[in-house]
Amino acid sequence: MNIETFKHIYFRLPTIVRLLLTILFVMVLFGVTIHIIEPDEFPSIFDGIWWAFVTGATVGYGDYVPLTPVGRIIGILLILSGGGLLTFYIATLSAATVDHERDLSKGKVSFKGNNHIIIVGWNERTRQLVQMINSKDNTIEMVLIDRSLDHLPYKHFPVHFIHGDPSEDATLVQANVEKAASVMITSDITKTERQADIATILAIIAIRGNNPVVPINAEILSLTQADNAIRAGADTIISSNDFMSTLFYHELFHNEDTKPFDSILHLLNNQQFVNLPVPEQLVNKSFKEASIFFLNKRELLTGVIRDNEWIMNPVNDFQIKEKDTLITLTAWK
């Protein structure tokens, strides 16, 4: 268990549980120590732990008593810990825990993990994205960067919140972008389309400057800014406006018994698109033959990319070329 995993578990526990675990650790430590020092007087580790609890709480039943000078010194330290130091430590720990949890919720704590997903912008889309990622694999670490959000309860959402501007290096350092596995940038819904796209492009430039190789997926609202986002360093551009316009078009003019939105939603929830080079055995084969090849692997061949042209559902005798890229549908793994 690394420190980030421990932190996720520890700081989501109720305060009283955290305090009890800390007390238990201290008492076990003293109990094991006195058992090692005086094994005759404290025959078992449990006897030592019992003595530690009784002495630390200043109850003092007297059923177990250290006899050696070293044992009595341990007893004195335990009494001080139980009566003074332990109380002070618990109070300090309680305050530090509350402060740290508050700082986590306010986005002031730097992320120390790696291979995490950075999500820029908090909105309904990213909230659902976080839930989908967490339901698929709850071990994936996610870091959220947002400057409009003042508070995000750490225990309610499985993300490490960083409050700040994603176009500033200090914020990206806090998010440990150098060791991130990927970055997802969503458009700022509080800005106009042009302002939101400019903010996205600035964030892309800053992220690419801090990590030249991390995959960056960015949402762009205006097609006129898509090329600029690519020049800035984005690997994938998601044009949400185009997607929604096309979806509305299908909803308006689809066949009566068809439900385009529901079909696409269920498709993307259960299947993923994969772009792959042409297998050697399919070179110069027909689209129909290639389709049968993938059907035998429980995959669906949907189209071909040739010279940057997307050819979806071509005719059966369409010939597959060596330099083509095939588009398939396969189940999420």
Side-chain angles (χ1 to χ4, degrees):
M1 180 184 295
N2 58 37
I3 188 170
E4 287 297 329
T5 303
F6 172 78
K7 185 171 67 176
H8 287 329
I9 297 173
Y10 183 77
F11 285 106
R12 285 193 174 94
L13 294 173
T15 303
I16 186 63
V17 175
R18 293 197 293 263
L19 295 178
L20 287 175
L21 288 176
T22 303
I23 293 171
L24 179 62
F25 172 78
V26 173
M27 294 306 175
V28 169
L29 178 63
F30 274 101
V32 172
T33 303
I34 197 66
H35 167 69
I36 294 173
I37 293 175
E38 296 193 19
D40 295 333
E41 183 66 20
F42 301 90
S44 68
I45 292 178
F46 179 77
D47 292 332
I49 294 174
W50 166 255
W51 168 82
F53 271 101
V54 171
T55 305
T58 67
V59 175
Y61 286 122
D63 48 351
Y64 292 99
V65 179
L67 301 178
T68 65
V70 176
R72 290 177 176 176
I73 291 174
I74 296 298
I76 292 172
L77 293 176
L78 178 57
I79 293 171
L80 291 174
S81 299
L85 293 178
L86 185 57
T87 303
F88 176 75
Y89 171 74
I90 291 175
T92 303
L93 177 64
S94 299
T97 300
V98 172
D99 289 344
H100 187 71
E101 188 170 352
R102 184 179 62 249
D103 289 343
L104 282 172
S105 298
K106 290 187 175 182
K108 297 180 179 180
V109 180
S110 298
F111 182 78
K112 302 299 183 182
N114 52 50
N115 292 325
H116 52 291
I117 298 174
I118 295 178
I119 301 174
V120 176
W122 183 248
N123 47 55
E124 183 61 22
R125 297 191 304 280
T126 53
R127 187 187 67 80
Q128 293 185 16
L129 175 62
V130 166
Q131 292 179 340
M132 293 172 67
I133 294 173
N134 190 57
S135 62
K136 180 179 185 296
D137 187 353
N138 58 15
T139 63
I140 296 177
E141 298 283 356
M142 290 175 280
V143 175
L144 170 71
I145 299 177
D146 190 276
R147 62 179 174 181
S148 62
L149 193 65
D150 294 327
H151 180 266
L152 186 69
Y154 188 72
K155 62 177 66 177
H156 295 163
F157 299 96
V159 295
H160 186 110
F161 173 46
I162 301 292
H163 180 268
D165 189 335
S167 64
E168 296 180 357
D169 287 347
T171 302
L172 297 175
V173 170
Q174 272 192 289
N176 202 12
V177 70
E178 289 186 358
K179 297 183 179 179
S182 61
V183 178
M184 177 70 202
I185 306 175
T186 63
S187 291
D188 189 342
I189 59 177
T190 64
K191 300 178 181 293
T192 65
E193 290 187 358
R194 179 176 176 80
Q195 290 175 333
D197 286 344
I198 291 175
T200 298
I201 292 171
L202 288 175
I204 294 171
I205 294 172
I207 293 168
R208 186 57 71 208
N210 284 271
N211 189 331
V213 297
V214 65
I216 300 177
N217 308 290
E219 179 185 12
I220 292 294
L221 301 178
S222 174
L223 276 179
T224 58
Q225 297 298 329
D227 290 339
N228 289 332
I230 294 293
R231 295 188 191 103
D235 296 283
T236 303
I237 298 299
I238 299 173
S239 182
S240 56
N241 283 347
D242 286 349
F243 177 77
M244 291 305 300
S245 297
T246 303
L247 189 57
F248 279 132
Y249 176 83
H250 276 265
E251 289 289 347
L252 287 171
F253 298 105
H254 66 269
N255 293 331
E256 184 176 350
D257 296 330
T258 305
K259 296 182 177 180
F261 177 78
D262 291 339
S263 299
I264 293 174
L265 186 63
H266 285 86
L267 171 67
L268 296 180
N269 278 335
N270 295 281
Q271 303 285 318
Q272 61 176 320
F273 285 100
V274 178
N275 293 358
L276 69 162
V278 177
E280 184 178 351
Q281 59 268 42
L282 294 183
V283 175
N284 297 324
K285 298 292 185 179
S286 68
F287 184 80
K288 180 179 180 180
E289 291 174 305
S291 297
I292 295 173
F293 172 82
F294 284 104
L295 283 174
N296 291 331
K297 300 171 59 178
R298 292 194 62 203
E299 298 179 18
L300 182 64
L301 181 62
T302 60
V304 178
I305 303 176
R306 176 178 295 173
D307 298 328
N308 293 323
E309 180 184 358
W310 292 62
I311 307 170
M312 306 302 294
N313 192 24
V315 295
N316 286 340
D317 58 356
F318 179 88
Q319 193 174 57
I320 305 295
K321 299 297 183 181
E322 183 178 2
K323 295 183 178 180
D324 290 343
T325 298
L326 303 181
I327 308 168
T328 66
L329 268 175
T330 183
W332 287 102
K333 297 180 179 178

